Amino acid sequence: STAEKPVLLNNVADAVAFISGAEVAVIGFFQDPQSPEEEQYRRAAGQIPEVPFGLSRSAAVLSHYGASASTVALFRRADNDRRDLDMSNGDVDSEKLMRFVRMNELRMVTEYNPVTAIGVMQSSLELNLLLITDKMSPKHPEQMRIFRAAAELYRGKILFILLDSNLKSNERVVSYFQLKKSQLPALAIFHTPDDEHDVLTLDEISIERVQDFCNRFLQ
């Protein structure tokens, strides 16, 4: 609940456990509990209930993460990366902070939209695997369960992305891979530095098929 957010992290062990317990975790490093930055941080935390927010004033924790005071750090499991936002100059309000989180909250499977697209492009991972499918399909929950399980096998190597073919904003991506709606669902793997890609249309998705497709492309 928003009443419990953010979680106070008093030592390094608490912070490590907090980060490892979530696909995406945010920690605000503050020293003055009365600061306007911390107030904005608390406000943002209350607006994003599905992302865990922590807060630390411990010098040991700040030192462990090499963070300066009034810094917000977002940690994510999908590409083992971290993104920092400096709040010390006072021009970051809760709206900007929420946008920073929304843009950078890449998941084990990230749903593609105009906001997450920015974070996807800025990821250190150069390989993206897209599941292009109709989210309204009765098969969708099972497809996602399999796709998530496969994502764990390529953590830190390939970014797994869900692309809903129903969204008008995604039509350009579908046509880029020269796919028609009648050919979906499909997997598309993409190497960002040189635009090299491959496409596999699917009747059924399985972990083995995802692995075969990824491994073939990696080789």
Side-chain angles (χ1 to χ4, degrees):
S1 80
T2 53
E4 294 162 1
K5 291 178 79 169
V7 177
L8 202 56
L9 305 167
N10 292 317
N11 55 58
V12 172
D14 284 355
V16 169
F18 180 78
I19 292 164
S20 65
E23 286 185 22
V24 175
V26 180
I27 299 181
F29 300 98
F30 299 103
Q31 284 181 319
D32 176 10
Q34 307 302 321
S35 71
E37 292 84 13
E38 185 173 317
E39 186 190 332
Q40 293 298 328
Y41 181 74
R42 288 178 177 278
R43 192 171 294 173
Q47 296 293 315
I48 309 180
E50 69 281 15
V51 176
F53 278 66
L55 187 146
S56 188
R57 299 194 190 92
S58 154
V61 175
L62 267 75
S63 168
H64 180 79
Y65 290 104
S68 50
S70 297
T71 296
V72 174
L74 179 144
F75 301 84
R76 60 193 188 209
R77 188 183 297 168
D79 57 357
N80 301 319
D81 209 348
R82 164 181 166 179
R83 289 281 183 268
D84 285 11
L85 179 68
D86 180 9
M87 293 186 73
S88 61
N89 55 13
D91 70 348
V92 177
D93 60 10
S94 61
E95 289 296 320
K96 285 184 183 169
L97 183 51
M98 284 162 63
R99 181 167 171 76
F100 165 77
V101 173
R102 289 297 186 214
M103 198 171 76
N104 290 293
E105 60 165 329
L106 301 185
R107 306 269 168 175
M108 293 307 294
V109 175
T110 299
E111 184 162 354
Y112 190 88
N113 62 46
V115 179
T116 59
I118 300 165
V120 167
M121 287 169 192
Q122 291 176 350
S123 170
S124 57
L125 297 188
E126 296 181 336
L127 284 166
N128 296 338
L129 180 71
L130 285 73
L131 172 62
I132 305 171
T133 189
D134 174 1
K135 268 181 77 179
M136 306 313 269
S137 159
K139 291 182 175 179
H140 180 67
E142 179 61 9
Q143 285 176 353
M144 277 301 287
R145 188 191 66 75
I146 292 165
F147 199 55
R148 274 183 187 287
E152 290 287 350
L153 304 175
Y154 294 93
R155 191 174 79 170
K157 291 195 191 107
I158 300 175
L159 213 51
F160 276 55
I161 297 161
L162 168 70
L163 191 103
D164 185 2
S165 57
N166 283 319
L167 293 183
K168 198 155 182 59
S169 59
N170 287 337
E171 282 175 4
R172 203 163 53 86
V173 183
V174 178
S175 64
Y176 174 83
F177 292 111
Q178 297 177 338
L179 286 164
K180 300 184 181 75
K181 283 209 168 180
S182 60
Q183 294 174 290
L184 302 178
L187 292 174
I189 196 162
F190 185 85
H191 184 238
T192 50
D194 56 13
D195 291 354
E196 194 181 336
H197 60 272
D198 195 9
V199 176
L200 175 70
T201 56
L202 299 162
D203 298 321
E204 295 292 331
I205 183 172
S206 68
I207 292 181
E208 292 73 26
R209 292 196 78 180
V210 175
Q211 279 185 281
D212 286 346
F213 182 59
C214 290
N215 292 345
R216 228 182 28 244
F217 190 80
L218 286 167
Q219 281 162 11

